[in-house]
Amino acid sequence: MISYLGAGLLVLISAGKLATARRIPLSPGMRCLLGFFLSMAAALAISAEPTVRLVLPGDPPMAALLCRVPSNALQLLAVHLLLRLARTTQSPAPRTRWWPLLLCWAVLAVCCADIAQHIEQVRTPAFGRLPGLIGYQVTLVGYAVCCLTGFMRVLTRHARQCPRGSFRAGLRVIVAASAATVVWALYSGLPSLWLAVTELADEDFLPPSRVLGLVTMILWFAGAVLTTWQGVVERPLRWLAARRGIRAVRPLWSALVTALPRLTLAPVPWHDAEFARYRKLIEIRDGLLSLRGHLPPELAAWLSESARRHATAEDEPTRTAAGLAAALVAREHGHSWPPPPAAPTTAAPSIEAETAWLSAVSAAFTGSPVVAEIRNRAIATYAPPGRG
């Protein structure tokens, strides 16, 4: 039943992707992905125990063999398509030849014929040493491991070129899942070798194989979620980052909108944190531009003296915060001067860079002793007697 559920889930995923792209021609990568899903779905359905019981009810060993061969052939087709899918990320995409897969299918058919002639020995120790059985296992595992190794190599290079985020993290989880699949294939796909080397019984061999298979499935699922649903994964993180940015610049924004109420724009819904942060950054920048005509001409000298007194460097956030503090005092008491020339800008920063910059200015505006001293000197200089 689990095999049927897995096969049905893969078919549903394929149908969903086809429905989404029904009006758009399928790309080579999407064709490979759909082929991988459908091949694995068919392999799971064919190898399921109810299917085996329906094939030859009176001969379970032969029924298992007849179902195992097409199921394994479809699994080889799936890993072949997986390698082709990874290579579509390269430009130009290298060719992935079909003849190694066809050769493996032919070898599996020959080995299957040898196994069928000795199927009555399936419960004996001699059955595990059959050349046909050993050749079948080595061919199956060897081709799968080669394809998965190539898949990991290509996907690792592609992940390095992707920007940081959940998509790149998902690609790396898929690479880890591929490595776990290689380990699982080498262990579970060569039972004759490991049973002969370790002298374990079947009941001792199966539990580790199932644990490896479960870990592999979890890794594949996690990688698929991270790469396919990257917006769902990253949206809460972006919302939290936007909320942190709003909190960081709020002291600076509050001081500006208190002095210049006309800066405030239309309200933004609370859940749209990214737009609310963007709006606050605009309002802060407008406030800083509006106050350029109120910067005291003594500001540079005051900054140098205060920085020496407090043994701190005159960094740009502190200079901006000190200028804002002095300009607010000068504006409040009706003092203005010709604004200084605007500094040239080299490039428009990103929202994250702007948030980090104004957060540093806000922190200096509320916590720097240099800014506090500049504010007090502006009050002492420009406030009328008795109002300081």
Side-chain angles (χ1 to χ4, degrees):
M1 186 57 67
I2 295 177
S3 297
Y4 286 147
L5 288 175
L9 179 61
L10 291 173
V11 171
L12 285 176
I13 293 173
S14 302
K17 290 188 176 294
L18 285 173
T20 303
R22 61 183 180 275
R23 296 182 181 179
I24 304 173
L26 294 176
S27 64
M30 182 57 69
R31 288 197 295 269
C32 292
L33 183 62
L34 292 176
F36 170 76
F37 285 151
L38 295 175
S39 298
M40 288 301 298
L44 288 171
I46 292 172
S47 63
E49 291 186 8
T51 306
V52 174
R53 287 196 297 266
L54 288 175
V55 173
L56 285 176
D59 192 355
M62 183 59 71
L65 179 63
L66 292 177
C67 291
R68 178 64 64 110
V69 175
S71 175
N72 291 151
L74 288 168
Q75 289 171 353
L76 292 185
L77 174 61
V79 295
H80 174 86
L81 293 173
L82 199 63
L83 178 59
R84 293 176 71 92
L85 171 63
R87 288 180 173 175
T88 58
T89 62
Q90 298 176 297
S91 181
R95 293 182 60 186
T96 305
R97 302 184 183 277
W98 286 94
W99 68 262
L101 175 63
L102 299 177
L103 179 61
C104 287
W105 282 353
V107 172
L108 292 183
V110 172
C111 294
C112 178
D114 180 60
I115 295 170
Q117 293 178 1
H118 303 86
I119 198 66
E120 69 280 354
Q121 304 176 13
V122 69
R123 300 294 182 185
T124 63
F127 185 77
R129 296 189 293 271
L130 283 177
L133 181 62
I134 295 174
Y136 187 98
Q137 295 173 1
V138 170
T139 302
L140 178 66
V141 174
Y143 185 78
V145 169
C146 289
C147 288
L148 287 171
T149 303
F151 174 77
M152 286 190 293
R153 186 170 58 250
V154 174
L155 209 62
T156 300
R157 286 199 300 266
H158 181 62
R160 293 196 193 103
Q161 301 170 1
C162 295
R164 297 185 64 178
S166 59
F167 183 76
R168 187 171 74 173
L171 292 180
R172 289 178 172 173
V173 172
I174 289 176
V175 171
S178 304
T181 305
V182 169
V183 175
W184 177 69
L186 290 172
Y187 182 80
S188 303
L190 300 171
S192 298
L193 172 64
W194 301 120
L195 290 174
V197 171
T198 61
E199 298 182 355
L200 293 173
D202 288 342
E203 56 271 16
D204 299 323
F205 177 80
L206 289 176
S209 175
R210 289 170 179 164
V211 171
L212 282 173
L214 179 61
V215 171
T216 301
M217 289 178 61
I218 292 173
L219 288 173
W220 278 107
F221 179 76
V225 168
L226 287 171
T227 53
T228 306
W229 297 342
Q230 53 182 322
V232 176
V233 175
E234 291 180 340
R235 195 173 297 120
L237 299 179
R238 291 200 304 268
W239 187 88
L240 289 173
R243 282 294 167 193
R244 285 197 300 268
I246 291 172
R247 285 196 302 271
V249 301
R250 184 172 286 128
L252 188 63
W253 176 84
S254 298
L256 286 169
V257 298
T258 300
L260 304 167
R262 60 184 176 81
L263 290 176
T264 55
L265 303 172
V268 179
W270 70 271
H271 57 82
D272 197 350
E274 292 183 77
F275 187 57
R277 176 183 60 177
Y278 177 68
R279 182 71 65 80
K280 276 187 167 45
L281 298 184
I282 291 176
E283 292 168 351
I284 291 172
R285 278 296 184 181
D286 288 345
L288 293 176
L289 288 174
S290 299
L291 291 171
R292 290 179 64 247
H294 300 279
L295 290 173
E298 304 92 345
L299 180 62
W302 290 352
L303 273 171
S304 299
E305 294 173 12
S306 182
R308 285 196 301 270
R309 187 176 299 111
H310 293 280
T312 60
E314 290 185 55
D315 56 3
E316 195 61 32
T318 302
R319 280 196 292 269
T320 302
L324 172 60
L328 287 173
V329 173
R331 181 188 178 278
E332 181 182 358
H333 299 292
H335 297 277
S336 62
W337 299 269
T345 56
T346 56
S350 64
I351 295 295
E352 290 74 18
E354 184 79 354
T355 303
W357 159 251
L358 291 179
S359 298
V361 174
S362 182
F365 184 77
T366 57
S368 171
V370 173
V371 174
E373 183 174 329
I374 297 297
R375 183 184 293 110
N376 292 332
R377 293 192 69 167
I379 292 172
T381 304
Y382 298 111
R387 296 186 57 187

